[in-house]
Amino acid sequence: MKPIRQITLTATILAVLAIVYSPLQAKNFVVPKAYMFGFSASFNDSIIYFTDIQEVDSVWFMQKKDILAGRSNYSNQLRDYCAQKFDQPKRTCVVICSEKRKTVEKKYDKIKRKYTQKKGSTYDVRFIPLSDFKFDAINMDEGTDESAAKPEKKNKKDKPKKDGKRPPRDGKMPPPPPNK
């Protein structure tokens, strides 16, 4: 009886600690300026796009891991630009960011070397100048984050009614009913 009590007490304490400390880990903090660049590739062609290294004001980072908060929003900005400008909507876009310009320059050179200095490289590397594309700062403050808004629920009236028939578990559809 005593080991069960200890296990229950330990599980309760761990649950309380997880609830208390989880909001502390999820906090974001803003940095006055950070440096970032974008990289865009596609599995359907050999064209690789690089943006210039850009200085962006008011960038949010996650406190726990010290990584860019809302990084998908930044990569979506580059994806939308590629969709509009080059008519290539389904590109894989990555954004590299740091508070230190030197760190971003090292990563930029490393990735650029990977695609440009290989002999017989089949990649067509193109650069997007700062005059054509610039990252916009994303506000990740919990009070004003538009991307975290809950989607609207559909009314139950809009759903089509089910006829109560569903296929059997083996995946084969039963034959249609005879016409009368």
Side-chain angles (χ1 to χ4, degrees):
M1 190 67 170
K2 193 172 184 179
I4 294 173
R5 184 184 294 168
Q6 287 177 342
I7 292 172
T8 307
L9 181 64
T10 305
T12 305
I13 290 172
L14 288 175
V16 169
L17 289 175
I19 292 170
V20 170
Y21 287 112
S22 64
L24 298 177
Q25 294 175 356
K27 291 205 177 185
N28 298 332
F29 65 95
V30 69
V31 175
K33 68 178 176 180
Y35 301 93
M36 66 177 66
F37 73 92
F39 168 82
S40 177
S42 176
F43 295 110
N44 296 330
D45 61 15
S46 61
I47 300 172
I48 307 292
Y49 292 103
F50 283 94
T51 66
D52 289 336
I53 296 175
Q54 303 176 12
E55 181 179 311
V56 181
D57 296 329
S58 302
V59 176
W60 290 80
F61 284 90
M62 290 184 203
Q63 187 172 11
K64 177 85 175 168
K65 300 277 185 184
D66 199 28
I67 58 175
L68 183 64
R71 57 194 173 278
S72 62
N73 293 333
Y74 288 102
S75 57
N76 285 339
Q77 288 179 21
L78 182 57
R79 181 177 294 119
D80 293 343
Y81 173 80
C82 289
Q84 282 182 329
K85 184 79 172 182
F86 309 121
D87 196 30
Q88 298 173 347
K90 295 185 179 182
R91 298 191 65 83
T92 303
C93 299
V94 178
V95 175
I96 311 296
C97 182
S98 177
E99 294 179 63
K100 300 176 184 171
R101 185 172 181 94
K102 189 175 258 188
T103 305
V104 172
E105 286 174 350
K106 284 181 183 179
K107 291 180 181 181
Y108 184 82
D109 290 337
K110 182 179 178 182
I111 294 174
K112 191 170 93 174
R113 256 186 275 119
K114 184 176 184 175
Y115 290 99
T116 57
Q117 291 185 351
K118 288 186 178 179
K119 292 183 180 180
S121 177
T122 59
Y123 298 109
D124 181 11
V125 179
R126 300 178 185 178
F127 298 93
I128 302 171
L130 185 60
S131 60
D132 288 348
F133 174 76
K134 181 157 176 45
F135 287 108
D136 295 324
I138 303 293
N139 186 359
M140 295 301 295
D141 189 14
E142 279 114 31
T144 61
D145 185 17
E146 294 149 2
S147 64
K150 292 182 181 178
E152 294 180 19
K153 292 184 178 180
K154 294 181 181 178
N155 292 337
K156 290 183 179 180
K157 296 175 184 176
D158 296 341
K159 288 185 180 180
K161 292 187 177 182
K162 295 181 181 178
D163 60 358
K165 298 176 185 174
R166 61 178 219 195
R169 290 185 181 243
D170 62 359
K172 296 178 183 175
M173 293 294 294
N179 293 335
K180 292 183 180 180

